Every structure is written in C-alpha cells, then in structure tokens.
C-alpha cells in the first residue's frame, strides 16, 4: 500500500504553510516566488498563511511578475498572516524603491507577529527614498499586531492611495515597533479611521545615508484618528488627529527635525496626557494654523520639557497660536534663562481670545517676551514664584501662585495694573 504525504494546504480551509510551496526560510534562498504561490492559494473566501518560527525568508522587493508599485509579496483579500516571529528580509539591491510586503487594494487583512527587515547598511545604491517594509494602498479593514519593522531604505510603513484613487480606511496598528529606518517610521498620505496603540518609533531618520530630510524624521501622520500610548523618538507631524498618552522625545541627533510636535494645517488636533522632551537646540512644539472654532487645537494635561540647552537665545522654543486651548499643561526648561528671544511664543495668527491658556504652568525661564503675545496671557495663565514679578511685561489678571505658602501668608499674586512689571497685589490669605 502506497502512502501519500498530506499537507495542511490539502485540507480545505486549513492554514497554508509557506513551506508547502517551497519556501525554505534559510536566510539565503530567494523565497519570493514560493511565498507568493502560498498567498495565491488562499481561497476567495479567505484563509490563513503560516510562517515557520524563527526563520528568515528572503524577498525580492522589486519582483516584476507581481509588481504593483515597488513589488514585494502581495496577499489576497481575507488573508490572515501568522508570522510566528519569522522574518521577511529584502534582498539587497541598488533599487531606489522597493517593498517587502505589499497590501494593494485588498480588504479584511490581519498580520500577526511578523518581522520585516530592509537593507539599510547593505543597500548598494545611494539615491532614492522609497524602500518600504510594508506598503498599504487602497485597503480597508486592516489589523497589524506585534510587527517589528527595521532598517528600511524609506519608511517602515507607507499608507498611500491606490493608483491615486482609493485611500485606506479602518486600520488598527497594535504594539508594533518601527526602528532604524532611513526616512519615516510611518508615512501617511491617505488614512481615515486609523488607530495606533502601544507602538514604538525609534531612531527614525537618524540613519540617513543621503538626504531625505525634507520629508521629516519620524512619524508623518495625517488624517489619522488616534495615536494611543505610543513611544516616539523623533518628530511627529500631525493634523486631524489625536495623540493620547505616551511620550515624544526629540534629541539633538535628529538633524532633520525642528519641532518634536508640529500641527499647522487648518484641521483639528488633540494631544492629551502626552509628555514631550527635547534636548539641546531642539524645539518642543509648533501648533497653530486653526482659523475657526471647528478646527480648534486642544492640548490638555501635557508636559513639555527642554534639557541641556546651551544657546543664549533659543527663539520659539514652543510656538502656538490660532484657535488653540492649552489646559493644565506644564512648560519647563532646565538650565539658565535665555538672554533674548521668545522662549514660548504665540504664532503669527494669534488674535483676540481665540487662544486660551487655562491652569497652565509656565517656567519663569520661558517667559522672556511672553507678554508680547497679547491676549493669550490674559486668560488664566498661571505660574509659581516666591514673590511677585519684578521684571517682564504683564497684563491685568495674570496670576502667579506662591511657591512657598505658609500660615498667615498668601496663595499668590495677581497683576492689577498692566505694565513692566505692572502693579501686583497678594490674594488668598492662608489662615
């Protein structure tokens, strides 16, 4: 009696193992054709692709027979990819653009526990900036869980249109890491109803071999719904978006970056409970551009801190303006106060009471030139000091809380007559 070997791929609706289609995962063999054959074997109603744990599968990022904008391997709609911590690694080339894993006009895709590696440090060419780890174009209902994408010549992930027609909708990115990529961690050209939760962006843009600096340093996210509890090292360009929790760190090594957070389009933006740290000559935030109540920017319960600045004049350490509300925020800076300049400045579109600053702490070292920003400082701006100000220009209603309260002392000091420094009176007897 003869025996026939039965693989999972021969069982209807069973997971498809890429090894059944000839993929070796030995880190040397070109597995592109074999993996694409496994992807093609998924039925029209969907199915699961399985990679073998710990193996490295080499991918031709410009593989022509399946190429649609930079190539790579391309799953069908309804595919679930179980990576099992395996790696897809691009084959070194001199191509100015490539893609390792290509989601192109598909829907209902899930990718779990997969590593993707580009060729920074191995790349033969010196030009171009479009070598992407994962490209998502014109897709709906995509879930990415526990991905690690690194060393891409361009972006770790690019969200773009499909043939300039359809964008991407309903994308969840959970607990993913984007590390050591030459251009951006995530570049968003078109994405609606997207959520990034618990993701990490590290050393993005700092490994540039040529100059893609004009496109930014870390996470260029536009028209994204929420970025929650993410750890971002580098710059974030955001509009029509919420950043909730997490931290953003901009260090001196990110030469592409001017501000840690930048939101300047006439679109709403919210940042809630986020800590922003900048060092040296880097700048904390530029948030402005909102010209109406419908696109008001909200910055709430956030901390902005600058360490180790050595410049005597750091113009616009943070600049915010237009329709913006700063609520219960802290702006601090270690080191000496600058000799000149605006350490915290209202942007050029600062008018009327459009800008509101409520229950915020502004380090006195950041207040150089602040009163010139006009009406923003009249709206419940708060600081802490052991005595009323004796230098600087202030407006009526500005409040400084007493940093050394004691029995029979006072809660704080209030400006009753505008001037330089104006007239100040104590308030709030402590019984």
């Amino acid at each position: 009696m003869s025996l026939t070997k039965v693989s999972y791929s021969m069982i209807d609706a069973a997971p498809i193992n890429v090894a059944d289609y000839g993929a070796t995962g030995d880190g040397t063999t070109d597995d592109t054709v074999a993996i694409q054959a496994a992807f093609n074997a998924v039925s029209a109603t969907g199915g699961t692709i399985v990679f073998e744990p710990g193996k490295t599968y080499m991918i031709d990022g410009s593989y022509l027979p399946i190429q649609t904008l930079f190539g790579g391997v391309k799953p069908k709609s309804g595919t679930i990819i179980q990576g099992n911590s395996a790696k897809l690694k691009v084959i070194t080339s001199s191509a100015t653009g490539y893609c390792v894993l290509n989601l192109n006009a598909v829907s209902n895709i899930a990718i779990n526990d997969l590593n993707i590696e580009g060729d920074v440090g191995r790349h033969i060419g010196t030009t171009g900036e479009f070598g992407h780890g994962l490209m998502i174009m014109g897709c709906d209902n995509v879930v990415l869980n526990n991905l690690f994408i690194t060393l891409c010549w361009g972006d770790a992930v690019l969200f773009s249109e499909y043939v300039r027609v359809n964008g991407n909708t309903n994308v969840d990115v959970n607990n993913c890491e984007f590390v050591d990529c030459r251009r951006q961690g995530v570049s968003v050209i078109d994405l609606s109803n997207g959520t990034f939760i618990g993701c990490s962006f590290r050393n993005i843009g700092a490994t540039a071999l040529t100059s893609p600096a004009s496109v930014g340093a870390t996470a260029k996210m536009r028209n994204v719904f929420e970025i929650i509890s993410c750890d971002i090292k580098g710059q974030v360009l955001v509009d029509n978006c919420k950043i909730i929790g997490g931290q953003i760190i901009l260090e001196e090594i990110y030469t592409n970056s001017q501000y840690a957070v930048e939101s300047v389009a006439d679109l709403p933006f919210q940042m809630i409970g986020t800590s922003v740290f900048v060092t040296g000559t880097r700048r904390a935030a530029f948030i402005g551009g909102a010209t109406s109540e419908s696109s008001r920017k909200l910055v709430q319960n956030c901390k902005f801190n600058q360490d180790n600045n050595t410049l005597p004049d750091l113009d616009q350490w943070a600049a915010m303006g237009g329709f913006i509300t700063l609520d219960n925020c802290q702006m601090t800076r270690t080191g000496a106060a600058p000799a000149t300049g605006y350490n915290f400045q209202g942007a050029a579109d600062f008018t009327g009471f459009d800008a509101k600053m409520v229950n915020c702490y502004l380090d006195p070292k950041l207040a150089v030139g602040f009163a010139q920003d006009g009406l923003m400082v009249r709206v419940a701006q708060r600081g802490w000091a052991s005595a009323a100000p004796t230098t600087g220009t202030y407006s009526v209603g500005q409040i400084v809380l007493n940093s050394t309260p004691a029995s029979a002392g006072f809660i704080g000091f209030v400006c009753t007559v505008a001037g330089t420094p104006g007239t100040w009176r104590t308030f709030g007897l402590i019984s």
Side-chain angles (χ1 to χ4, degrees), residues 223-430:
N223 304 319
V224 178
F225 184 56
E226 291 181 332
I227 305 167
I228 304 172
S229 300
C230 292
D231 179 14
I232 301 173
K233 291 182 173 63
Q235 184 185 42
V236 187
L237 309 178
V238 283
D239 291 300
N240 200 22
C241 170
K242 293 181 182 178
I243 299 177
I244 301 175
Q247 64 178 5
I248 301 169
I249 300 174
L250 181 60
E251 300 171 322
E252 199 74 13
I253 61 172
Y254 296 103
T255 57
N256 305 2
S257 311
Q258 183 175 11
Y259 292 97
V261 181
E262 189 167 346
S263 175
V264 295
D266 194 8
L267 292 166
F269 165 67
Q270 295 183 21
M271 186 164 68
I272 301 171
T274 302
S275 296
V276 178
F277 302 94
V278 296
T279 63
T281 61
R282 301 304 94 195
R283 292 161 169 80
F286 193 107
I287 302 174
T291 62
S292 65
E293 193 64 42
S294 62
S295 56
R296 175 174 290 277
K297 318 276 185 172
L298 172 64
V299 182
Q300 186 177 49
N301 300 327
C302 293
K303 297 180 180 179
F304 301 86
N305 176 259
Q306 183 190 48
D307 289 329
N308 304 318
N309 177 49
T310 57
L311 295 181
D313 178 0
L314 183 63
D315 191 42
Q316 292 187 345
W317 174 75
M320 304 183 187
F323 282 77
I324 184 171
T325 298
L326 279 75
D327 182 10
N328 197 33
C329 294
Q330 297 183 25
M331 296 83 172
T332 59
R333 171 182 162 177
T334 59
T340 59
Y342 300 97
N343 245 271
F344 185 86
Q345 183 181 28
D349 56 359
F350 231 89
T351 57
F353 282 94
D354 299 341
K356 301 176 182 180
M357 191 173 188
V358 182
N359 295 329
C360 292
Y361 170 62
L362 181 68
D363 190 310
K365 293 190 292 293
L366 301 177
V368 176
F370 188 76
Q372 296 181 29
D373 293 334
L375 295 176
M376 180 177 182
V377 298
R378 300 180 188 176
V379 186
Q381 189 265 328
R382 187 176 75 189
W384 280 264
S386 59
T390 57
T391 60
T393 302
Y394 298 90
S395 304
V396 173
Q398 283 189 259
I399 292 173
V400 174
L401 297 184
N402 190 354
S403 61
T404 57
S407 179
F410 297 90
I411 293 175
F413 315 90
V414 59
C415 182
T416 58
V417 178
T420 306
T423 301
W424 290 81
R425 295 288 184 264
T426 58
F427 70 92
L429 178 65
I430 301 174

Side-chain angles (χ1 to χ4, degrees), residues 71-91:
V73 287
K74 179 179 179 293
K76 296 161 64 174
S77 291
T79 299
I80 298 172
I81 297 176
Q82 298 293 0
N84 294 317
S85 298
K87 180 189 295 183
L88 301 184
K89 184 176 180 179
V90 75
I91 296 172

Side-chain angles (χ1 to χ4, degrees), residues 124-135:
I124 299 172
T126 59
T127 61
E129 57 186 57
F130 299 107
H132 307 310
L134 173 60
M135 183 176 289

Side-chain angles (χ1 to χ4, degrees), residues 9 16-26 28-42 48-52 56-60 63 65-66 72-76 88 91 100-101:
S9 61
I16 297 173
N17 192 316
V18 295
D20 293 339
Y21 288 81
T24 65
D26 62 8
T28 302
T29 303
D30 184 348
D31 287 321
T32 312
V33 173
I35 291 174
Q36 188 60 49
F39 282 164
N40 292 344
V42 172
T48 299
I49 293 289
V50 177
F51 289 90
E52 297 193 0
T56 297
Y57 299 87
M58 302 304 295
I59 303 297
D60 183 350
Y63 178 54
I66 58 170
V73 287
K74 179 179 179 293
K76 296 161 64 174
L88 301 184
I91 296 172
V100 181
L101 184 59

Side-chain angles (χ1 to χ4, degrees), residues 86-150:
K87 180 189 295 183
L88 301 184
K89 184 176 180 179
V90 75
I91 296 172
T92 301
S93 74
S94 61
T96 58
Y98 59 75
C99 175
V100 181
L101 184 59
N102 189 338
L103 305 189
N104 198 314
V106 292
S107 60
N108 303 317
I109 299 287
I111 305 174
N112 304 309
D113 304 302
L114 184 67
N115 300 322
I116 298 175
E117 183 176 313
D119 65 350
V120 167
R122 300 183 291 120
H123 195 73
I124 299 172
T126 59
T127 61
E129 57 186 57
F130 299 107
H132 307 310
L134 173 60
M135 183 176 289
I136 302 177
M137 298 183 294
C139 297
D140 300 314
N141 303 324
V142 176
V143 178
L144 308 178
N145 294 317
N146 304 314
L147 304 189
F148 182 86
I149 305 180
T150 187

